[in-house]
Amino acid sequence: MAKNASNRSGVWQSLRNAWKVQDIRKKLVYTFAMLIVFRLVGVIPAPGVDYASVQAQMGTDSLPVFDLVNMMTGSNFQNMTIMAMGITPYINASIIMQLLTIAIPALERLQKSGPDGQKKIAQITRYVTVGLAVVQAIGLTASLNVIRDGWFNTVLVGVSMAGGTALAMWIGERVTEKGIGNGISMLIFAGIISNLFTGIVSLLSNAFTAVSLTPWLNLLAVLLLALVMIVLITFVDMGVRRINVHFARRVSGRKMYGGQNSIIPIRVVSVGVLPLIFAYSFMAFPGTIIQLAGSESAVAVWWARYMHQASPLYLSVTALLIIAFTYFYTSISFQPDEMAKNLQQQGGAISSVRPGPATAEYLKRINNRLTLFAALFLAVLATVPTLFTVGLNTQIPFAASSLLIAVSVVLETKRQLDDLLVSRNYDSIS
């Protein structure tokens, strides 16, 4: 695996270079300010919630998706704030809409009809998000028995938490539009970092107050695991497959074009963190629906017994979903036929490969191999923290895949900053 030249500089170097540019600095400040607003709003308690029951259940495993929702919301669900649902309903709505655009021809035509059609799809997604937020908020809080008596309090919980989700969705869209981009992932990243900080502080506190070496060994093991995962994720995420391309010479008037070699860089993990986010959000949704039937129902009891986050069945299904979403998003984002057509029109050709359909088939074969590696890598790496927790019988401050998401978001943000600098012809990137 090779590396792009723009990835050779460090994250801090990219931030320093970006801070020197006035318009990029404004984007950074705007993004940081919106993330602060997101976290500050997350401390507002949701009306209609019995907080005595919330405190009584703090730290218990009364709901299988409890840790998962906390990972996505930065413990806002644990604290039952108006941001308890976070951005997860929006992710679920996006999954539903993308699947419907494949199944329903009318939606597929609408999506392909240009900016106006995509704008309508985005508007429908927002409405679906609010509806799912109401259902998830009432379902999860009712299953925990933390809603005060009376139908009015149930309505208050659903409306207030759905309003928090709508606000989070708006903040994410503003960060994408006016900030440095990748707004939804940035919100999830903020929640993950908050949990990581709280967890590490807790581990340090336990180590300093302990009378044995066990807490110190657990802390050392957690830090070592985090370091290994960060290095591995960074190495794979920055890897690209370079395909050599030669452009034939052509004469236009008195000028000669082409006659040079270039490359087509294909990222090893081109889909980023989307398969992970979508897979875990997808796993949280059935749990919400099941809890609506009652925590004492047979389905709920089976789900709690066999589909908790440390169970082999849960890990296997999650891994399969990650693999499926990896292939799904690769098929959407990578178009070998279009790439082969553009390459042929520009007079380019891959060495030892004929232009046209043969080139498309070659690109498709290369991409299939990279997709297989990416899918297996994401699926295996997402299960490592859970296996580590079960094997050593200790708690770690990051849930399965949370560190992977955090590191991937940092690297993607670095690429976006580098692209912004390159687009303004700054030569400070080495």
Side-chain angles (χ1 to χ4, degrees):
M1 289 181 291
K3 294 181 180 180
N4 289 326
S6 60
N7 285 330
R8 292 173 185 171
S9 60
V11 174
W12 295 112
Q13 183 62 37
S14 295
L15 283 174
R16 284 195 295 267
N17 292 334
W19 190 258
K20 298 175 183 178
V21 186
Q22 183 177 4
D23 56 341
I24 302 180
R25 182 166 64 247
K26 290 180 180 179
K27 291 178 179 292
L28 287 170
V29 173
Y30 182 86
T31 300
F32 185 69
M34 294 302 286
L35 292 179
I36 290 178
V37 171
F38 173 70
R39 293 303 300 170
L40 289 178
V41 174
V43 304
I44 301 176
V49 174
D50 184 0
Y51 284 92
S53 299
V54 173
Q55 294 297 323
Q57 297 187 46
M58 196 74 69
T60 63
D61 191 21
S62 55
L63 190 64
V65 296
F66 186 82
D67 292 335
L68 173 61
V69 178
N70 272 330
M71 181 196 79
M72 303 291 285
T73 63
S75 295
N76 286 333
F77 177 76
Q78 176 177 300
N79 299 323
M80 287 296 162
T81 69
I82 62 172
M83 286 289 185
M85 296 299 103
I87 206 67
T88 52
Y90 177 78
I91 298 173
N92 292 329
S94 299
I95 297 173
I96 294 173
M97 289 304 300
Q98 292 191 11
L99 294 177
L100 289 178
T101 53
I102 298 176
I104 302 177
L107 289 177
E108 185 177 5
R109 290 193 299 269
L110 186 63
Q111 187 181 39
K112 296 180 179 179
S113 61
D116 292 338
Q118 294 176 359
K119 186 177 181 180
K120 291 181 181 179
I121 291 290
Q123 188 175 9
I124 296 173
T125 304
R126 295 188 188 101
Y127 292 142
V128 176
T129 297
V130 175
L132 287 178
V134 174
V135 173
Q136 282 189 266
I138 295 177
L140 292 178
T141 52
S143 65
L144 288 173
N145 296 320
V146 295
I147 302 180
R148 293 176 181 153
D149 295 334
W151 64 268
F152 183 71
N153 289 318
T154 303
V155 173
L156 277 178
V157 169
V159 171
S160 62
M161 291 185 179
T165 294
L167 179 59
M169 178 173 56
W170 181 84
I171 292 175
E173 292 177 349
R174 296 289 76 75
V175 171
T176 300
E177 180 182 350
K178 298 182 179 180
I180 59 177
N182 211 16
I184 301 302
S185 296
M186 291 294 292
L187 297 185
I188 299 174
F189 171 79
I192 290 174
I193 292 300
S194 174
N195 285 343
L196 284 174
F197 178 78
T198 303
I200 291 175
V201 170
S202 177
L203 286 175
L204 286 172
S205 177
N206 292 336
F208 278 109
T209 57
V211 294
S212 64
L213 289 176
T214 301
W216 285 103
L217 294 176
N218 290 339
L219 176 61
L220 181 62
V222 168
L223 294 178
L224 182 61
L225 174 66
L227 179 62
V228 171
M229 289 185 65
I230 289 174
V231 173
L232 183 61
I233 294 166
T234 304
F235 176 76
V236 174
D237 197 84
M238 295 175 65
V240 296
R241 171 70 160 85
R242 295 173 179 242
I243 300 176
N244 295 322
V245 178
H246 178 74
F247 289 91
R249 293 183 181 181
R250 57 187 179 90
V251 179
S252 178
R254 296 183 178 181
K255 295 183 178 180
M256 180 178 294
Y257 300 92
Q260 60 183 2
N261 295 324
S262 183
I263 62 169
I264 299 177
I266 302 178
R267 289 181 56 193
V268 175
V269 186
S270 60
V271 292
V273 300
L274 286 177
L276 293 168
I277 296 174
F278 275 43
Y280 279 95
S281 298
F282 191 87
M283 289 298 294
F285 187 69
T288 304
I289 302 300
I290 290 172
Q291 293 300 326
L292 288 174
S295 58
E296 302 299 328
S297 64
V299 177
V301 171
W302 180 89
W303 186 271
R305 179 178 300 176
Y306 296 105
M307 292 299 288
H308 59 86
Q309 292 190 55
S311 69
L313 182 58
Y314 179 90
L315 294 176
S316 300
V317 174
T318 303
L320 290 175
L321 283 174
I322 291 173
I323 293 173
F325 279 119
T326 301
Y327 274 94
F328 175 72
Y329 279 99
T330 301
S331 66
I332 294 177
S333 60
F334 189 81
Q335 302 295 333
D337 295 332
E338 191 69 22
M339 292 178 63
K341 180 180 178 181
N342 293 336
L343 194 62
Q344 187 176 15
Q345 290 176 349
Q346 296 170 5
I350 300 175
S351 302
S352 303
V353 180
R354 297 183 63 182
T359 298
E361 186 63 30
Y362 176 81
L363 292 173
K364 187 183 300 183
R365 185 166 61 253
I366 295 296
N367 183 67
N368 287 338
R369 294 174 181 174
L370 294 179
T371 303
L372 176 61
F373 173 81
L376 294 178
F377 171 77
L378 293 175
V380 171
L381 199 59
T383 61
V384 167
T386 301
L387 296 176
F388 183 87
T389 302
V390 175
L392 295 183
N393 193 24
T394 185
Q395 294 294 324
I396 58 177
F398 48 90
S401 81
S402 62
L403 191 61
L404 179 59
I405 294 175
V407 174
S408 298
V409 170
V410 170
L411 294 176
E412 184 62 31
T413 302
K414 176 191 178 301
R415 291 191 192 96
Q416 291 174 341
L417 292 176
D418 289 344
D419 291 341
L420 288 172
L421 287 169
V422 170
S423 66
R424 287 158 177 77
N425 295 323
Y426 279 85
D427 298 328
S428 57
I429 304 176
S430 57

